C-alpha cells in the first residue's frame, strides 16, 4: 500500500516527511511529485519531504552518507582508486557520490551482468564513464578503497565478497552491511592491517542530512 501511504502523507499536516528503506526506494521515486537531480539519475529515493501544500520531494543520500563517513574516518576519496563489489542500488549511489568527490577510478564487480550494464549506462548519463569500468578481484592489488556494496556477509553469513588479504595494507575497506556491524570481511581486513569503515557509520552519517532535509536541524547545526 505504498502509493496509498504516500497519498496519506500528502494530507498529513504535522508530518515533515518520511525515510524510505528497502524495498521501497525505487517505487517511491516514481510516486513522489519531484526529486533532486541525483535521485532522478538513480531512480530511487530514501528521503521524502512534505511541503506545506502537500507536495512530496524525494532525495537519495546513501552515497553522501558513505562519503561523509569516509571523511570522518580521514579518508579523502579525491584522486584515489576504488573497487566496489555490488552494482545494485547502493553501488549506483556510490558511483555518483564517489565520482562527485573526485575519485580517480572505480572498478565494479557484480555477478549479475545486467546490473553492471545498467551501472555503465548510469555512468554515461552522468558523464563520468571515463573513470568507471567493470573489474575483477585481480584489480585489488592497486586499490586504495575496497567496498562491499552487496548483501554478502549479512545476518551471520560468513562469506566475503573478496579476500582482503589481496589488498595493499594502506587500503581502506568499507562495508555497507549494517548487521552485523563488524562483518566477516571487516574482521579479515582489520586482521590484514587495513583501516575499516562499517555500514553503521555510513547510515549514522545520514542522520544530520535527514534532519537538514526535513528542516529540523537546530540553528547551531548539531543534531
Ligand atoms: P541490491 O539488491 O540493489 O544490490 C545488491 C547487488 O549485489 C546485486 O546487484 C547483486 O548481484 C550483487 N552481489 C551479490 N553477491 C555479490 C558478490 N559476491 N560480489 C559482488 N556483487 C554481489 O541491494 P542494495 O539496495 O544495493 O543493498 C545492498 C546492501 O546495502 C544491503 O545489505 C543493504 O542492507 C545495505 N544498505 C546499507 C545502507 C547503509 O547506510 N549502511 C544503506 C542502504 C543499503
Amino acid at each position: 500500500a505504498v502509493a496509498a501511504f504516500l497519498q496519506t502523507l500528502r494530507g498529513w499536516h504535522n508530518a515533515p516527511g518520511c525515510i524510505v528503506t528497502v524495498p521501497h526506494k525505487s517505487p517511491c521515486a516514481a510516486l513522489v511529485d519531484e526529486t533532486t537531480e541525483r535521485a532522478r539519475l538513480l531512480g530511487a529515493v530514501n528521503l521524502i519531504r512534505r511541503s506545506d501544500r502537500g507536495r512530496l520531494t524525494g532525495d537519495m543520500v546513501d552515497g553522501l552518507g558513505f562519503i561523509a563517513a569516509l571523511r570522518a574516518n580521514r579518508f579523502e576519496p579525491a584522486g584515489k582508486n576504488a573497487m566496489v563489489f555490488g552494482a545494485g542500488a547502493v553501488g549506483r549511489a556510490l558511483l555518483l557520490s564517489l565520482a562527485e568527490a573526485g575519485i580517480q577510478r572505480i572498478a565494479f564487480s557484480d555477478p549479475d551482468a545486467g546490473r553492471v550494464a545498467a551501472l555503465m549506462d548510469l555512468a554515461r548519463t552522468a558523464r563520468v564513464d571515463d573513470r568507471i569500468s567493470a573489474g575483477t578481484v585481480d584489480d585489488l592489488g592497486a586499490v586504495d578503497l575496497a567496498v562491499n556494496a552487496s548483501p554478502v556477509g549479512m545476518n551471520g553469513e560468513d562469506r566475503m565478497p573478496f579476500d582482503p588479504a589481496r589488498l595493499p595494507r594502506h587500503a581502506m575497506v568499507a562495508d555497507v552491511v549494517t548487521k552485523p556491524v563488524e562483518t566477516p570481511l571487516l574482521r579479515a581486513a582489520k586482521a590484514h592491517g587495513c583501516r575499516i569503515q562499517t555500514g553503521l557509520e555510513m547510515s549514522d552519517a545520514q542522520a544530520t542530512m535527514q534532519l537538514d532535509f526535513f528542516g529540523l536541524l537546530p540553528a547551531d547545526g548539531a543534531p
Side-chain angles (χ1 to χ4, degrees):
V2 175
F5 172 78
L6 291 184
Q7 190 52 28
T8 301
L9 185 60
R10 285 186 172 89
W12 191 335
H13 295 288
N14 62 353
C18 68
I19 295 170
V20 183
T21 188
V22 174
H24 303 305
K25 294 179 189 180
S26 295
C28 282
L31 289 165
V32 295
D33 302 308
E34 61 197 14
T35 63
T36 59
E37 175 62 7
R38 70 177 151 252
R40 186 188 69 78
L41 282 171
L42 293 168
V45 299
N46 72 343
L47 296 179
I48 297 176
R49 177 175 57 220
R50 179 189 177 281
S51 76
D52 290 343
R53 301 215 313 271
R55 275 180 72 76
L56 301 181
T57 303
D59 198 359
M60 173 65 176
V61 300
D62 276 342
L64 297 186
F66 182 81
I67 301 292
L70 276 184
R71 290 191 169 134
N73 282 316
R74 298 207 189 92
F75 182 94
E76 173 50 53
K80 303 290 196 322
N81 276 340
M83 173 97 203
V84 177
F85 291 79
V90 173
R92 294 164 63 83
L94 294 189
L95 162 67
L96 290 190
S97 298
L98 283 168
E100 194 176 80
I103 201 98
Q104 188 176 72
R105 183 176 167 273
I106 318 177
F108 279 88
S109 167
D110 192 306
D112 184 334
R115 288 288 179 102
V116 177
L119 181 126
M120 294 307 293
D121 281 346
L122 170 65
R124 278 187 287 275
T125 306
R127 297 176 191 276
V128 295
D129 48 311
D130 54 331
R131 291 185 276 158
I132 314 298
S133 60
T136 71
V137 286
D138 292 333
D139 301 324
L140 283 173
V143 308
D144 310 298
L145 171 66
V147 186
N148 175 39
S150 81
V152 174
M154 245 172 111
N155 296 330
E157 184 198 28
D158 65 0
R159 266 187 330 130
M160 300 191 292
F162 60 93
D163 180 0
R166 302 179 72 146
L167 288 166
R169 287 198 166 76
H170 78 268
M172 164 69 93
V173 179
D175 208 320
V176 302
V177 166
T178 50
K179 282 186 193 155
V181 175
E182 204 165 284
T183 57
L185 171 69
L186 293 182
R187 273 203 307 279
K190 210 154 76 172
H192 182 55
C194 292
R195 290 182 285 164
I196 62 163
Q197 173 170 306
T198 68
L200 197 58
E201 288 175 287
M202 169 182 169
S203 53
D204 281 354
Q206 295 183 47
T208 306
M209 293 167 199
Q210 291 164 350
L211 291 174
D212 190 30
F213 183 76
F214 294 131
L216 297 173
L217 205 56
D220 66 4

